[in-house]
Each structure stands twice: as structure tokens, then as C-alpha cells.
């Protein structure tokens, strides 16, 4: 794309980078005309769309056979997990080539992988892979045999006997028949267990929650933030207020090999590749089929294998070989289909551009059913930020829109007319996606269901410092109604994802008529007002008008402040970069009539003033006394320059300690240096400065590593005390810190771990409601550990 951007003539480039939405028709038409005359453009589009020329993403039988061979070699040396990896790679390359002989390369690979799973004791994976082979090649005797053996080991004896009887009928060789016969005899000799296998239902189910969502919300026009959502009734804390599937979603590039391309959950070992191209991997067949891709498995359904079997077995066979889904799933839009003929533009173009392609194609499909004419302008009534985009982004939007439209036309067909008008509309669509899309996130350290095995190996002493949660972005999605929630740096709702479904929950009780606002990534307590504004400006191109940014709050005053030089003074000293933001807030707060008539203040305001007047009462009395370097309680001056250099020196020690902790090599001298730096920081910073919480946390982790758990506990508690001042006691940030505290307490055999864990559970429930147990199974595990030391 850089090559294309570089050849755009300067005059046209200038028109584009200076364009407003009104100019788009003209700039798009000019660039389109220019590209159409340009051999380089046709060459680039050709490479992106021609599967023969690209060959990056199309199936490749030779490469599949090579990987299969490597898998076989691993298998023969007993390296079963290596074999699984090579068979998975081979499955990715292997074209499905169904014939009536009963098996093809893909089904052979599934059966080989099933056998490796069997050897590893992963029996359910073995059953699933055998079934996958059968859904392509239902007459494949060995697949029925593998399935039968795994079912027998799982105790599903009835199913095992059925699998083996089918295998027996299909098996041609005498030695094979003998082997099956022996297996059946062994099962019959064992006590009968009539459990029926549930392998099909073990496949990924997208959303298992039945929690009702009956809140009545209303979209209203706000004074400063455009439209926003409010509630028509009082909402209790932790209520589910909104649930929605995405209009379109895409996996992020970094997660392509680790997470399912449809539901975004972590990939299991028995991942399922797309049958027609090399790009996506799915956690299960239902996810693969729902995402689309040429559904070559359909061919298998026509293969008649039901002759000569009893009614019972006929039904059993069709239950096993046909991939079943609920009707809503099978009818839903297949988002990957148009990207899936071996072309490699979906691999090369940025995720958000491919996402725009998915939106566009879904829209065309919807239009097709409603017989309305195609016009992207009517697609979404969502805001966008084209006018505020930096010049470089405007040029990129133009170039990518033209390239994407040509790629889509190649894959999707002539229904996609390419003109200056459609390109201009696509550019606006891209801007809408930038402003309105949401990052789908997952927990890393302790991800949802599936990581329990990890917890069973959880050793408290060693892992006390690592019981922490990080979120990683795995996907990007657009939710039509979810996009109407505005941002606040002091949010009252929380958004999270189960598979790809968006859930929104109230984290506090919300009164009827109040705005429901979530955080787009910046929060009070985390950054000061300036940094939050900068973040929102950079990522969403708006200047935040939320209550946290426009009204006085204690957290913003103290978060990066210094302590007063007077020994017993509790006042804050603000740095130059903070003063202007905070002064403005004092200004609007002190304006008439609120301070002149204290009866007009509500309870919340009164509490706020109480808290603020403890650290800045001079500021509340006279706005002119708010100056960088001067205490807002007593007016004493602090030498900020000297403070800055003292802090930079202390920071060096903490960075060293952090590095040592990360490389698990904490020495006593780096701990001593950090402790004396902590002393200095405590004398320099206000007691609620966020940096103090961070260094206390850093020390807690380092002490954990060297096994000094009591010291770790003390520093962890200190960190929590500061964070509670910044966030309030029930914020999820406190829950995360309490989790660390609880694991240290458990390692110490301290029975108060239960109290910490109960607090964590209460906080997490406000944010995740009924999903807490599914999303954080380790919490239950830690609670059980805590009970043992009661
Ligand atoms: C996802 S949309 C939310 C719905 C939007 N208000 C609308 O009318 O469509 C995000 C946009 O809403 C506006 N917005 C959301 N929160 C805001 C805030 N705290 N301050 C100012 N504008 C905000 C900005 O224009 C932002 O780009």
C-alpha cells in the first residue's frame, strides 16, 4: 500500500489530506480514475485477488503431505503432541477432495490426529476428530474404529459398540475385522455402562447464559455527546442491561494462530481449519460452519452409507456424520465466505479494512432479501470522525477503500459497483467503524472455562505473585445498538464479551433517566485528566465532556500530586501539567450559585467537597491560589525541579527491580535500593499518588519471588489502600489487587484470605454477574483453598 500511496500525484494528495466529508465524492472519483490508469494498481490488486499468482492462502496438497509425513515421524517416535501439531498443519493445507471410495486426505489426517489424541489420553478430542473424519468420509471404517475405542475408554459402551459394529460392516480386510472383533469382546466382557456420548454437544456453544435482559433503555439526545443511552427505570447494581451479537466481527492479526476466528475463544488442540483456504482456524465445526467458507462437507451428506444397517444404526450414523446446528445458526450470515477462495487480501489488508468488507457484504446480503436499492449511506446512523482524521489517515482511507472494493468485487461479484460514490461511502463507513467498533477482549492469565487444568497445578507459594489478570484484545466488532453507549471516565456500566456476544451490566445502581456510560479505555483513578483527554482524542477524536473530566474529583487532584513540605499538612501540590485542567474544574465548581448557597448542594456534592477540602481547601476558597508547586491547603512552596530529579533516580531503582522480577532474578541489593527509594517517594509524593501504589505493588511481587511473603503482604496492602482512594472501594481494579492479596494470604496460611476472596467475588459479580463462575473458575478454586485453612 505504501507503493500506491507514494505514486499519488502531489496535487491530488493535497486535496485528499485536506478533504472534508463533503469533498469525498470528488476526491474518491479522482483517485479511482488515477488508479484505473495505473499499471501498478492493477498489478497489486491482481496479486491480492488471484489465488494462482498469490498461492499464499490456497490449499496445497504437496505441503499437506509433507506435514503429514512429519506428523507420522513424530508419532512413530512417541512424540504425540508434535504429531498433533504437524497433523493440524497438514489439515490446514489439505484440500477436501471427497470421492465415493470412503476416505480422502483430510479424513485420513483427522483419523491420524485422533489416534495421537488417543495416545495422549485426550479421549474427547479423539472422538471429535473421528467424527470430523466421518462427516467427510462416512464409509471410513478406521474412523469408526477409533471412535469406538475412545468411546469405550470414556465409558460410553453403547456408543462404542455401535461404532465398532459399523466399522465391522465397512471394514474389508480380515485382519481389520479380527481387531474390531477383539475390541467388541473386550467391551462386552466389562460391566455395562449405558452412558451415551455427548461429544457433539461438547462442541463450542456460543452463549450458554439464559439470564434475561429486560431493562428498558432509551436513546436520547445529549447536550455535549450527541446521542446516548438512558434508562426508563431504576436499575439495581449488577443488572444485565444489554446483550447483543455483533453486526460484524474480525479476529486481530496477532491472535490468528491462538484464538478461534469465529467465537474468539482460545483454540483447543483439536482446532478445525477452514476447508477452503489457509487463513482461519476454528475451535469447533459449528464455529467453522457458521463463519462460512465453501462448505465442501455438504458433498459428504449425499454419500449414501445407510444401506444394510438397522434403523437404530441408520439413525446413529446420520447423527454422527451430519454436523448439526440450531436453525438460527445455519441461516445466519456467513461472514468468511467471500474471503475464501485462496485469495490473500484478507491476510494482507489490516483487520479493520477486512471488517469493513464484512460489513459491506452483509449489508448487500440484507438488501438482497429486502429488494431495496444499494446505498451505503443508509447502512448505519452512526457518527464518524472523518473531518478530524490526521492527513495520513485520510489518504490511507482513500487508498484502502479503493483496493478493498476491487478485492471484494473479485470475490463477491458484479453486484458491487465501483464508482466514486461507493468509494466515498466506504470511506465514511471506515470512519464509522473506527469510532464505533469495540475491541473484543479475553483474560490471559486465567482465561474462562478450559483453564481449570492449569489451576489444578496452581502452586500457591510460587504463583502468589502471578495471580493477576491481564486482558488481551483478540477481535474487533461492530454492535449496532452497543455503539450508542457514550463514554465516561467514571462509568456506571461495564461491557464484556462471552464468545462474541456483547454484555453490558450496571456496576452501580442507576436512577431512572440517568445516562448509561461505559469507559472506552480511560478512567478516573487510572490516568489524570490530561492523559485521559489525550487518549480519547488520539483514539476516538473527541474531547471528553464526561463528569470525571468536567467536575472536581479527589482522584484527579491527588493521582500525580506531591505532598506538602510542611510535616503535618495533608494538602496536595500540583505539577504544572495538571494545574490548568484542575483549575478549570475549580472554576466551574465555584461558579454561582452552588458555593454561595450550600443548601443547593446535594449529598454527593457535599461528600466530594469534604474529601477535596481535606487536600485543597485553599483552592476551594480562592482559585488564584491554585499554582504549580504550591500546597493547596497551606500555600507552602515545594521545589518541583528538585522533586522531579529525586523521582527520576528512584524510578531507575524500580525499573531495575521490575526487570529483575520479570526475569525471576531478584537480588537483595536491588530490593534494598528499591526500599530506600520507596522511602524517598513517600516523602515526595502525596500519600494517594498513583505511583506509590505501583511501586508498592512492584515490591510485593519481588518479595513474593524471594519468598518473603509477610513483606509482600504488607506492600500489597499498602498498594490497595492507595488504589481505594483513587478508584473507590468497589472498582474492578481493587478486585484485581485483592486477588493478589488473597493468593499471598493463602500462601501464608492466613485465614483472612476468605474475606479478601469474598470481596473479590462481590466486586467481580457487579461487573460480570452470572458469568463470574464461568469466566473466573479459579476464583472458586481459591475459595476452596481458603476453606481448607479456616
Ligand atoms: C460510539 S459513539 C457513541 C454514540 C454517539 N454519541 C452518537 O450520537 O452516535 C462515540 C462518539 O460519541 C461521542 N461521545 C461519546 N462519549 C463522549 C464524551 N464523554 N464526551 C464527548 N463526546 C462523547 C463522540 O463523538 C464519540 O466519537
Amino acid at each position: 500500500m505504501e507503493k500506491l500511496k507514494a505514486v499519488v500525484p502531489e496535487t491530488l494528495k493535497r486535496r485528499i489530506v485536506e478533504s472534508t466529508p463533503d469533498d469525498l465524492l470528488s476526491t474518491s472519483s479522482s483517485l479511482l480514475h488515477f488508479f484505473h490508469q495505473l499499471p501498478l494498481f492493477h498489478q497489486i490488486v491482481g496479486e491480492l485477488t488471484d489465488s494462482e499468482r498469490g498461492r499464499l492462502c490456497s490449499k496445497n496438497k504437496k505441503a499437506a503431505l509433507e506435514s503429514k509425513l512429519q506428523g507420522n515421524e513424530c508419532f512413530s517416535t512417541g512424540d504425540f503432541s508434535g504429531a498433533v501439531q504437524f497433523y493440524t498443519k497438514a489439515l490446514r493445507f489439505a484440500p477436501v477432495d471427497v470421492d465415493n471410495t470412503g476416505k480422502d486426505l483430510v479424513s485420513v489426517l483427522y483419523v491420524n490426529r485422533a489416534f495421537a489424541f488417543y495416545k495422549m489420553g485426550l479421549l474427547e478430542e479423539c472422538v471429535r476428530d473421528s467424527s470430523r473424519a466421518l462427516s467427510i468420509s462416512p464409509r471410513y471404517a478406521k474412523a469408526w474404529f477409533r471412535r469406538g475405542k475412545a468411546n469405550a475408554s470414556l465409558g460410553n459402551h453403547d456408543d462404542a459398540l455401535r461404532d465398532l459394529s459399523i466399522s465391522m460392516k465397512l471394514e474389508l480386510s480380515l485382519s481389520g475385522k479380527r481387531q474390531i472383533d477383539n475390541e467388541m469382546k473386550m467391551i462386552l466382557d466389562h460391566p455395562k455402562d449405558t452412558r451415551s456420548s455427548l461429544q457433539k454437544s461438547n462442541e463450542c456453544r456460543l452463549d450458554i447464559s439464559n439470564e434475561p435482559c429486560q431493562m428498558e433503555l432509551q436513546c436520547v439526545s445529549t447536550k455535549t455527546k450527541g446521542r446516548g443511552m438512558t434508562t426508563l427505570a431504576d436499575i439495581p447494581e449488577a443488572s444485565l442491561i444489554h446483550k447483543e451479537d455483533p453486526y460484524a466481527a474480525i479476529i486481530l492479526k496477532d491472535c490468528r494462530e491462538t484464538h478461534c476466528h469465529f467465537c474468539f475463544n482460545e483454540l483447543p488442540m483439536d482446532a478445525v481449519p477452514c476447508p477452503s483456504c489457509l487463513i482461519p482456524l476454528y475451535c469447533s465445526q459449528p464455529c467453522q460452519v457458521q463463519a462460512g467458507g465453501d462448505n465442501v462437507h455438504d458433498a459428504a451428506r449425499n454419500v449414501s452409507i445407510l444401506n444394510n444397517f438397522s434403523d437404530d444404526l441408520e439413525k446413529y450414523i446420520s447423527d454422527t456424520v451430519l454436523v448439526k446446528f440450531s436453525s438460527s445458526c445455519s441461516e445466519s450470515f456467513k461472514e468468511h465466505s467471500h474471503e475464501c477462495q485462496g485469495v490473500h487480501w484478507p491476510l494482507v489488508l489490516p483487520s479493520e479494512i477486512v471488517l469493513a468488507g464484512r460489513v459491506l457484504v452483509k449489508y448487500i446480503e440484507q438488501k438482497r432479501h429486502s429488494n431495496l436499492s444499494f446505498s451505503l449511506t443508509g447502512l448505519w446512523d452512526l457518527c464518524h470522525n472523518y473531518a478530524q482524521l490526521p492527513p495520513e489517515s485520510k489518504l490511507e482511507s482513500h487508498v484502502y477503500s479503493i483496493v478493498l472494493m476491487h478485492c471484494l468485487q473479485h470475490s463477491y461479484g458484479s453486484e458491487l459497483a465501483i464508482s466514486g460514490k461507493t468509494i466515498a461511502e466506504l470511506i465514511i463507513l471506515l470512519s464509522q467503524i473506527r469510532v464505533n467498533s469495540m475491541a473484543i477482549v479475553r483474560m490471559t492469565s486465567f482465561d474462562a472455562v478450559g483453564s481449570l487444568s492449569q489451576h489444578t497445578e496452581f502452586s500457591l507459594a510460587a504463583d502468589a505473585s502471578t495471580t493477576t489478570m491481564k486482558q488481551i484484545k483478540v477481535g474487533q466488532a461492530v454492535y449496532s445498538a452497543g455503539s450508542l453507549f457514550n463514554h465516561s471516565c467514571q462509568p456506571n456500566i461495564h461491557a464484556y464479551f462471552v464468545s462474541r456476544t456483547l454484555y453490558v451490566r450496571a456496576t452501580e445502581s442507576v436512577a431512572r433517566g440517568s445516562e448509561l456510560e461505559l469507559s472506552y479505555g480511560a478512567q478516573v483513578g487510572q490516568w489524570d485528566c490530561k492523559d485521559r483527554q489525550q487518549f480519547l482524542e488520539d483514539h476516538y477524536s473527541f474531547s471528553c465532556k464526561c463528569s470525571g473530566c468536567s467536575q472536581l474529583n479527589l482522584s484527579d487532584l491527588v493521582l500525580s500530586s506531591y505532598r506538602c513540605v510542611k510535616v503535618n499538612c495533608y494538602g496536595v501540590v500540583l505539577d504544572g501539567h495538571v494545574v490548568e485542567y484542575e483549575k478549570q474544574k475549580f472554576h466551574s465548581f465555584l461558579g454561582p450559585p452552588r458555593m454561595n448557597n450550600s443548601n443547593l448542594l446535594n449529598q454527593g456534592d457535599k461528600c466530594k467537597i469534604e474529601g477535596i477540602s481535606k487536600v485543597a481547601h485553599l483552592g476551594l476558597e480562592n482559585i488564584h491560589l491554585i499554582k504549580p508547586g504550591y500546597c493547596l491547603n497551606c500555600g507552602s512552596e515545594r521545589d518541583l525541579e528538585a522533586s522531579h530529579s529525586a523521582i527520576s533516580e528512584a524510578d531507575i531503582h524500580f525499573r531495575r527491580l521490575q526487570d529483575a522480577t520479570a526475569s525471576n532474578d531478584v537480588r537483595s541489593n536491588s530490593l534494598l535500593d528499591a526500599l530506600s527509594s520507596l522511602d524517598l517517594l513517600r516523602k515526595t509524593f502525596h500519600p494517594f499518588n498513583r505511583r506509590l501504589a505501583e511501586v508498592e505493588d512492584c515490591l510485593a511481587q519481588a518479595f513474593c519471588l524471594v519468598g518473603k511473603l509477610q513483606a509482600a503482604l504488607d506492600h500489597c496492602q499498602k498498594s490497595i489502600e492507595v488504589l481505594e482512594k483513587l478508584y473507590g472501594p468497589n472498582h474492578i481494579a481493587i478486585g484485581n489487587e485483592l486477588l493478589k492479596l488473597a493468593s499471598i494470604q493463602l500462601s501464608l496460611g492466613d485465614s483472612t484470605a476468605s474475606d479478601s476472596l469474598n470481596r473479590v467475588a462481590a466486586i467481580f459479580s457487579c461487573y460480570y454477574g452470572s458469568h463470574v463462575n464461568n469466566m473466573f473458575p479459579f476464583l472458586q478454586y481459591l475459595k476452596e483453598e481458603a476453606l481448607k485453612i479456616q
Side-chain angles (χ1 to χ4, degrees):
M1 284 327 116
E2 289 308 312
K3 280 191 208 157
L4 278 181
K5 275 197 282 176
V7 295
V8 178
E10 276 310 313
T11 42
L12 179 53
K13 209 181 267 180
R14 204 167 322 116
R15 276 175 55 211
I16 291 172
V17 299
E18 288 169 5
S19 61
T20 66
D22 290 342
D23 304 322
L24 283 178
L25 182 54
S26 147
T27 52
S28 311
S29 305
S30 303
L31 189 63
L32 187 63
H33 180 72
F34 171 73
F35 278 166
H36 277 171
Q37 318 290 319
L38 188 72
L40 176 71
F41 173 77
H42 295 286
Q43 182 199 331
I44 289 178
V45 170
E47 281 164 9
L48 288 172
T49 53
D50 186 338
S51 58
E52 283 309 305
R53 259 198 280 172
R55 284 216 72 83
L56 265 179
C57 304
S58 42
K59 297 285 183 184
N60 179 341
K61 193 163 183 175
K62 188 165 166 269
L65 289 171
E66 278 167 18
S67 296
K68 176 177 176 255
L69 209 62
Q70 285 169 298
N72 292 348
E73 277 165 20
C74 286
F75 193 99
S76 61
T77 59
D79 174 9
F80 301 118
S81 81
V84 164
Q85 280 175 24
F86 280 116
Y87 291 142
T88 303
K89 193 167 168 200
L91 277 164
R92 231 166 162 181
F93 281 116
V96 179
D97 187 14
V98 183
D99 59 20
N100 286 338
T101 61
K103 62 178 187 177
D104 81 333
L105 179 57
V106 174
S107 36
V108 170
L109 287 167
Y110 273 128
V111 169
N112 285 7
R113 197 172 71 167
F115 197 18
F117 283 133
Y118 184 83
K119 291 283 190 185
M120 293 166 82
L122 298 173
L123 301 172
E124 299 207 342
E125 284 79 353
C126 175
V127 174
R128 281 202 292 268
D129 264 1
S130 307
S131 306
R132 286 166 189 156
L134 291 167
S135 69
I136 303 167
S137 309
R139 303 183 61 83
Y140 193 178
K142 207 192 232 173
W144 287 109
F145 178 68
R146 289 271 163 264
R147 198 175 188 276
K149 278 192 69 145
N151 263 331
S153 304
L154 280 165
N156 305 323
H157 289 179
D158 282 359
D159 285 356
L161 285 173
R162 289 190 189 111
D163 292 333
L164 293 170
S165 333
I166 300 164
S167 179
M168 181 70 100
K169 273 217 160 162
L170 298 170
E171 177 60 56
L172 300 177
S173 75
L174 271 178
S175 61
K177 279 185 184 293
R178 219 173 296 126
Q179 203 183 4
I180 299 166
D181 195 40
N182 287 342
E183 218 43 63
M184 289 175 90
K185 277 192 187 125
M186 267 178 28
I187 295 171
L188 291 169
D189 286 348
H190 277 83
K192 200 164 181 263
D193 183 338
T194 53
R195 263 195 291 157
S196 177
S197 69
L198 296 169
Q199 295 79 30
K200 289 276 179 187
S201 58
N202 281 344
E203 295 263 23
C204 173
R205 278 171 297 164
L206 287 183
D207 184 9
I208 48 168
S209 161
N210 290 323
E211 188 180 346
C213 173
Q214 293 159 338
M215 295 299 155
E216 278 191 76
L217 307 183
Q218 190 181 26
C219 181
V220 295
S221 176
T222 71
K223 272 196 204 137
T224 49
K225 305 168 203 154
R227 291 162 305 169
M229 287 294 212
T230 59
T231 155
L232 289 172
D234 291 346
I235 300 181
E237 179 180 273
S239 317
L240 182 63
I241 62 161
H242 184 68
K243 183 177 162 187
E244 186 182 2
D245 283 330
Y247 187 86
I250 187 106
I251 193 149
L252 296 186
K253 282 194 170 167
D254 287 350
C255 298
R256 278 182 178 158
E257 302 299 311
T258 52
H259 289 74
C260 173
H261 288 225
F262 187 74
C263 74
F264 304 117
N265 289 334
E266 222 170 289
L267 283 171
M269 282 180 86
D270 62 326
V272 180
C274 173
S276 315
C277 76
L278 296 191
I279 306 175
L281 281 171
Y282 301 99
C283 68
S284 64
Q285 267 183 319
C287 277
Q288 182 259 304
V289 173
Q290 284 177 86
D294 285 354
N295 198 358
V296 281
H297 290 185
D298 278 349
R301 299 177 189 190
N302 300 327
V303 179
S304 165
I305 58 153
L306 304 179
N307 304 336
N308 305 326
F309 287 102
S310 65
D311 287 353
D312 170 49
L313 282 187
E314 267 187 28
K315 182 171 179 323
Y316 182 74
I317 292 169
S318 67
D319 281 351
T320 304
V321 305
L322 299 184
V323 184
K324 290 207 190 78
F325 313 99
S326 69
S327 58
S328 64
C329 289
S330 54
E331 283 160 14
S332 65
F333 172 68
K334 306 272 189 282
E335 63 188 13
H336 171 62
S337 298
H338 63 279
E339 302 160 359
C340 184
Q341 287 116 22
V343 293
H344 64 288
W345 62 264
L347 195 72
V348 173
L349 298 183
S351 299
E352 66 180 3
I353 306 293
V354 184
L355 179 62
R358 290 186 172 190
V359 170
L360 197 58
V361 170
K362 178 166 179 172
Y363 177 66
I364 294 170
E365 290 288 329
Q366 286 174 336
K367 284 279 156 202
R368 201 181 262 171
H369 290 126
S370 61
N371 278 336
L372 290 171
S373 65
F374 169 75
S375 163
L376 264 179
T377 339
L379 166 56
W380 272 337
D381 182 20
L382 295 180
C383 60
H384 66 82
N385 63 351
Y386 184 78
Q388 292 88 33
L389 283 182
E392 187 64 10
S393 302
K394 288 185 179 173
L395 181 60
E396 262 180 15
S397 301
H398 276 71
V399 174
Y400 275 127
S401 295
I402 294 178
V403 170
L404 174 66
M405 207 57 140
H406 283 81
C407 293
L408 284 175
Q409 195 180 50
H410 187 274
S411 297
Y412 195 75
S414 56
E415 229 172 303
L416 265 172
I418 300 178
S419 67
K421 180 172 172 287
T422 50
I423 300 295
E425 288 174 348
L426 183 52
I427 293 171
I428 291 296
L429 176 70
L430 270 177
S431 309
Q432 287 176 320
I433 288 177
R434 274 186 200 129
V435 170
N436 294 283
S437 63
M438 289 185 173
I440 296 183
V441 293
R442 290 287 183 270
M443 304 296 169
T444 49
S445 312
F446 288 101
D447 206 346
V449 198
S451 48
L452 259 177
S453 55
Q454 202 181 323
H455 309 134
T456 53
E457 288 155 24
F458 178 79
S459 128
L460 288 171
D463 287 355
S465 61
T466 59
T467 312
T468 177
M469 287 187 308
K470 284 191 210 101
Q471 287 194 330
I472 53 158
K473 290 181 185 174
V474 290
Q476 194 184 356
V478 276
Y479 296 86
S480 309
S483 292
L484 291 170
F485 289 103
N486 282 325
H487 161 85
S488 171
C489 296
Q490 288 177 312
N492 53 8
I493 56 175
H494 169 66
Y496 63 97
F497 305 88
V498 177
S499 301
R500 48 198 268 147
T501 308
L502 166 73
Y503 283 82
V504 184
R505 210 171 271 285
T507 49
E508 56 189 62
S509 8
V510 185
R512 180 171 163 238
S514 306
E515 272 197 64
L516 295 160
E517 295 175 321
L518 47 85
S519 162
Y520 291 2
Q523 294 205 27
V524 168
Q526 175 192 19
W527 296 324
D528 63 31
C529 193
K530 176 176 176 281
D531 288 347
R532 299 198 305 267
Q533 291 275 356
Q534 191 65 52
F535 172 87
L536 293 164
E537 195 68 64
D538 291 350
H539 288 80
Y540 297 92
S541 316
F542 71 85
S543 150
C544 184
K545 304 280 190 307
C546 79
S547 57
C549 290
S550 52
Q551 294 170 18
L552 267 181
N553 64 72
L554 179 67
S555 180
D556 277 357
L557 273 177
V558 295
L559 186 126
S560 51
S561 68
Y562 298 87
R563 73 181 314 148
C564 177
V565 286
K566 271 200 185 164
V567 179
N568 289 325
C569 179
Y570 199 51
V572 292
V573 178
L574 299 182
D575 221 335
H577 73 277
V578 183
V579 160
E580 282 319 305
Y581 283 86
E582 294 310 309
K583 212 167 173 177
Q584 269 180 29
K585 292 195 217 163
F586 273 100
H587 207 278
S588 49
F589 186 72
L590 294 173
R594 307 177 75 171
M595 280 304 286
N596 300 341
N597 185 352
S598 61
N599 292 336
L600 290 180
L601 294 177
N602 66 29
Q603 198 50 39
D605 280 343
K606 279 181 187 157
C607 287
K608 241 191 234 171
I609 292 177
E610 264 172 40
I612 292 164
S613 65
K614 279 189 190 150
V615 298
H617 74 84
L618 273 191
L620 283 173
E621 279 163 18
N622 184 349
I623 203 159
H624 299 295
L625 298 174
I626 304 175
K627 286 185 285 190
Y630 289 87
C631 172
L632 296 196
N633 261 359
C634 71
S636 308
E637 188 182 2
R638 170 177 267 283
D639 180 351
L640 284 183
E641 234 170 81
S643 307
H644 289 162
S645 57
I647 291 163
S648 352
E649 214 159 287
D651 274 347
I652 295 174
H653 291 141
F654 276 105
R655 260 198 302 277
R656 270 195 209 133
L657 186 64
Q658 237 166 353
D659 292 346
T661 309
S663 50
N664 201 352
D665 182 22
V666 177
R667 309 260 167 97
S668 57
N669 59 342
S670 48
L671 266 172
L672 285 174
D673 285 347
L675 280 174
S676 61
S677 297
L678 173 66
D679 237 22
L680 189 139
L681 291 181
R682 281 181 179 157
K683 284 180 192 141
T684 312
F685 284 139
H686 190 274
F688 303 157
N689 185 307
R690 191 186 160 94
R691 183 73 188 128
L692 283 178
E694 286 163 2
V695 296
E696 296 280 9
D697 184 64
C698 175
L699 278 162
Q701 297 210 29
F703 276 118
C704 268
L705 272 190
V706 296
K708 295 196 172 168
L709 294 179
Q710 189 54 51
L713 185 82
D714 295 342
H715 287 290
C716 191
Q717 271 164 340
K718 285 269 177 330
S719 167
I720 292 174
E721 280 166 25
V722 179
L723 293 177
E724 281 178 339
K725 292 289 178 200
L726 297 175
Y727 287 106
N730 297 323
H731 193 276
I732 189 92
I734 309 299
N736 293 341
E737 283 302 303
L738 281 167
L739 205 53
K740 289 185 195 171
L741 184 76
S743 56
I744 302 172
Q745 287 167 328
L746 282 173
S747 303
L748 278 166
D750 177 347
S751 60
T752 54
S754 290
D755 301 339
S756 307
L757 288 169
N758 287 340
R759 250 190 94 190
V760 176
I763 293 174
F764 280 16
S765 295
C766 271
Y767 284 75
Y768 295 96
S770 57
H771 291 109
V772 166
N773 291 340
N774 271 341
M775 296 188 88
F776 310 104
F778 60 92
L779 197 55
Q780 191 52 36
Y781 168 75
L782 292 179
K783 278 186 176 174
E784 282 160 20
E785 289 297 307
L787 279 181
K788 290 183 196 161
I789 53 171
Q790 284 291 300

